[in-house]
Amino acid sequence: MGNLLNALKDKSGKKAGADFFIDFEKAEPTAEEQAVYDEVRAVLERSPGVLEELSGYRGAGESIRVAISHPKDEVEQAKAWDSVCPLVKKLKSFYDYSSEVEKMLPLILQELCQEDPCGTLERKQALARQCAEILSFVLKFDDLKMNTPAIQNDFSYYRRTLSRLKMQDPASDDSAVVNNEEANRMSLFYAYPTPMLRCVSEATTKFVSENKDIPIENTTTCLAMMSTICRIMAETPAYYERFTEKDTLQFCQRVMVASVILYDHVHLVGAFKKGAQIDMKCTIKVLKMHQSAGGAEGESFTNGLMNALRYTTKHLNDEDTPKAIKALLA
């Protein structure tokens, strides 16, 4: 616990010792963690499939374009409808999965924040790993969603067509792959630029407000520790050279940024003020440090995380945010 505690008190991480390391690759649950770990694992093990389906989403743009260009051609209308319905069914599966993910994060926070999170993060590394996996998934999902405009186009067409069909035959809503009520809820989800991040941000805020027996400082300290741990591991060769999987470095950077965002939403004054538990200058510098390492792909990855800090945090644009921090993110 000493190394983690020192790392929080000394945000530069210079006091972190040689054992300052959370095994995000191989941490296994203790008997104390097992029940929650198994429940979360049942949800998390489906996340690679969700990301694979989302990355392969191609949309029904051509069929929709032809149908709109020939509004009286019933054959083309039917083709477009038949093309878009399976895609909307897939979008509903993503939406349903977001609800499951949203329920898992409070379960983990309950375990990590009940007691002093500095000690808990070391003792419950498997749950810390799962927390990190949720945060990494969230940013991956939202990045793919933002780069797939076909989602909004397909869903807008589906809702317009469903409304028209319902006017012609009110019973058509019952046989639709997504009925009007469900479509309205999904529309709110997909209209948001980063829908998955919004879900977990709201879940974290709700967790803090509903669990009065857990000091809010425990939750913010836990998030600060997650960010600080990931930042030091990503900036220190002695740590990141121990990674055995090629994606772990980017994993740490995603978790570092997602933890900052959640901290900024939960903490009263946010992550950017002087005296915050997170060293934002070092955090941003770590992102830039690895920016050129992966060529164009590395540039795109870093820009995505920088944009997450720019546009999804709550307090960055407050008047009392230091100008130096704003300049680093300009």
Side-chain angles (χ1 to χ4, degrees), residues 21-34:
F21 192 83
I22 285 186
D23 191 349
F24 288 133
E25 296 177 334
K26 299 176 183 177
E28 293 294 331
T30 61
E32 185 182 12
E33 301 169 89
Q34 194 70 58

Side-chain angles (χ1 to χ4, degrees), residues 295-310:
E297 187 178 334
E299 290 272 349
S300 176
F301 173 78
T302 300
N303 288 336
L305 294 183
M306 294 285 281
N307 284 335
L309 290 174
R310 291 180 185 115

